[in-house]
Amino acid sequence: MKALPIDPVILNVDDTDAARYAKTRILQRAGFRVLEAGSGTEALRMVHEVAPDLVLLDTKLPDINGFEVCRQLKQDPLTAMVLVLQTSASYLSSPDKVRALDSGADNYLFEPIEPEELVANVRALLRLGRVERELRDMDRRKDEFLAILAHELRNPLGPIRNAVELLRSLAPHSSPAQENARRVILRQTDHMVRLVDDLLDVSRISQGKIALRRAEVELCGLLKAAAETAEPNIAVRQHVLTVKLPDHDIWVDGDSVRLTQVVGNLLNNAAKFTAPGGRITLAACLERGEAVIRVMDNGIGISPEQAETIFDLFAQAGHSPDRVQDGLGIGLSLVRTLVNLHGGSVNVHSGGEGHGSTFEVRLPTLARTPPADETDCLPNAAPARPADVHRILVVDDNVDSAEIVAALLQFAGHEVHMAHDGASAIEAALRLRPDVVFLDIGLPDMSGVDVAAALRGYPELEKTALIALTGYGQEKDRMGAMAAGFNHHLTKPVNMETLNETVRTFMKKT
């Protein structure tokens, strides 16, 4: 038979010298590199040290039986992908084969084993292992591609959005037609940002990497905010949104950002699948100690067959006649994943096609307690006073992006300077000693993380606020930025309000 391109390493584990020698010689003649171990303890040690491609493992060992050795290998993340071919004497009963496979063995052979059978089984398992490694590598490259794609998509979105807001600020009394055109651009840009975020969440869902930042969350306030956020998308389709909330607070243990995402996805879904001029209701209440959130619409409805799969990834339940298929079929899958992570449940009810839908989210509640931070319950704050003038350095290799951010900050009255690579950013920072630096991570000569680390090494820049302004928005990117000395992390695109509020926040701290 044809040998594999690279000689795989086989660990032959057997306490009987003659049997171990015979299997080793068969495998060596077939072109494999073979290492040997005579006990379970020795086998576990060698697997960690050598990382063989496959372990040929006898069930009867003097210290730890082969079933337990296999179980430990498969439960350890460092060795779980090592292939295990379990062997035993023919007098053992067939339930031992079931036991071996239940312990994680990839296959099981009874001895005595014909040389051709042993070699064929080893080759077959190695081929499967190679395919599995290739699939894992493709999955890793897919995640890297999605992160890069999101970054590249965010880069043009930022300047587009900021340019429109700048035009609005420069010409506040423009004609209705011009203002309508600006609203269309902003609305579609926001839609693109949501699609990019959903695209990134696909890989997080598939790998279980969505982590919650739990805290005590007052649900009624969160629902009001989510409704306000979704209102423009609902209004553009001329729907009427009704919000029905109880007079008392409802407290849950959850991630406010992710819960807002759940409600926002349900509202946007209702708007999408309801013909123009429809009715959408967002309601909340307490039922049997659970918080219940309902999003109801009089839209196209859902057939019983579709209701079974509507929360599956990439599912599209249909569309109303006046719209194209917009979206990736990710939103409802995200809803289910996030609700499950909160220990809750989500389901859908519909009278059938043409009879509308009701999505219901149930979450466990907390005992009614006052908020941990009293400032969360203060009445609406007075309008902020105009920001003081600050010296700001904007660093971005995308010239359009840098110029738009700079123009927005200049419009707010700040003194703004620009740099387009790491070296000139460091030089400008030392020369200008800015109050705030908005710093892109992806620069042509050095990363923004390295620039931040370099700036933090100069005592004269100790009080300078470093703000990462980048298209890389994953949690690991944020954590890396903060570890490098950044004070804050913003993901492109950002609007004028976010820029000015960030400046105000960090200038108050100095």
Side-chain angles (χ1 to χ4, degrees), residues 375-386:
T375 61
D376 292 339
C377 299
L378 289 177
N380 293 334
R385 63 179 176 85

Side-chain angles (χ1 to χ4, degrees), residues 148-397:
I148 294 171
L149 177 64
H151 174 262
E152 294 303 318
L153 289 173
R154 280 193 177 109
N155 266 339
L157 290 174
I160 291 171
R161 198 183 204 291
N162 291 336
V164 175
E165 291 195 355
L166 182 60
L167 288 173
R168 175 182 285 168
S169 300
L170 293 173
H173 304 297
S174 56
S175 68
Q178 288 176 313
E179 182 58 27
N180 182 62
R182 290 169 188 160
R183 281 198 298 267
V184 169
I185 295 173
L186 290 174
R187 187 166 58 249
Q188 295 302 320
T189 302
D190 289 341
H191 181 63
M192 279 292 296
V193 171
R194 286 197 301 272
L195 291 179
V196 170
D197 290 339
D198 282 352
L199 195 62
L200 280 175
D201 277 335
V202 172
S203 61
R204 298 188 187 114
I205 289 175
S206 62
Q207 299 185 31
K209 288 185 176 179
I210 293 183
L212 301 181
R213 297 182 180 180
R214 288 183 177 270
E216 291 189 356
V217 178
E218 202 289 294
L219 202 56
C220 294
L222 181 143
L223 295 179
K224 290 177 184 176
E228 290 176 1
T229 302
E231 178 65 38
N233 189 42
I234 293 173
V236 76
R237 291 180 61 79
Q238 301 173 342
H239 298 319
V240 176
L241 174 62
T242 303
V243 181
K244 297 180 179 179
L245 302 175
D247 294 331
H248 56 79
D249 292 342
I250 300 177
W251 291 92
V252 297
D253 176 28
D255 184 324
S256 60
V257 173
R258 290 303 189 175
L259 289 176
T260 300
Q261 185 178 8
V262 165
V263 179
N265 282 3
L266 291 177
L267 289 172
N268 287 328
N269 184 77
K272 218 166 27 171
F273 293 98
T274 300
R279 297 188 307 276
I280 299 172
T281 301
L282 171 63
C285 62
L286 282 173
E287 287 185 4
R288 298 185 296 277
E290 289 184 314
V292 181
I293 305 168
R294 293 189 178 96
V295 174
M296 298 162 277
D297 64 65
N298 63 340
I300 64 173
I302 303 169
S303 68
E305 308 84 58
Q306 291 171 331
E308 295 295 323
T309 60
I310 196 168
F311 294 103
D312 293 343
L313 193 61
F314 302 120
Q316 290 272 11
H319 59 92
S320 55
D322 65 304
R323 74 172 193 92
V324 296
Q325 286 284 95
D326 57 345
L328 305 174
I330 295 171
L332 292 180
S333 178
L334 269 174
V335 166
R336 181 177 61 181
T337 299
L338 294 174
V339 171
N340 288 344
L341 286 174
H342 281 86
S345 63
V346 59
N347 54 64
V348 61
H349 308 283
S350 176
E353 295 184 7
H355 291 86
S357 307
T358 297
F359 286 83
E360 182 180 277
V361 174
R362 289 181 172 268
L363 299 169
T365 58
L366 297 173
R368 294 185 188 177
T369 54
D373 184 357
E374 293 182 3
T375 61
D376 292 339
C377 299
L378 289 177
N380 293 334
R385 63 179 176 85
D388 294 332
V389 175
H390 298 291
R391 182 175 296 168
I392 299 174
L393 175 62
V394 176
V395 184
D396 197 322
D397 63 322

Side-chain angles (χ1 to χ4, degrees), residues 464-478:
T464 297
L466 300 184
I467 313 297
L469 181 57
T470 173
Y472 293 107
Q474 298 187 73
E475 181 62 16
K476 65 178 182 179
D477 302 316
R478 191 188 71 82

Side-chain angles (χ1 to χ4, degrees), residues 4 33 72 83 132 156 177 204 260 312 361 369 382 409 421 448 452 488:
L4 295 169
R33 292 174 53 208
Q72 291 189 31
L83 297 165
E132 190 172 2
R204 298 188 187 114
T260 300
D312 293 343
V361 174
T369 54
L409 291 167
D421 58 60
H488 193 50

Side-chain angles (χ1 to χ4, degrees), residues 62-113:
D63 51 351
I64 310 173
N65 68 56
F67 302 119
E68 177 62 19
V69 172
C70 180
R71 188 191 66 79
Q72 291 189 31
L73 289 176
K74 293 299 184 178
Q75 287 189 351
D76 187 341
L78 297 176
T79 59
M81 302 312 298
V82 174
L83 297 165
V84 176
L85 176 55
Q86 197 113 45
T87 65
S88 73
S90 59
Y91 61 83
L92 291 179
S93 60
S94 61
D96 288 293
K97 181 174 183 179
V98 176
R99 183 182 175 190
L101 295 173
D102 284 344
S103 298
D106 297 283
N107 204 359
Y108 189 96
L109 294 176
F110 290 116
E111 298 185 29
I113 308 168

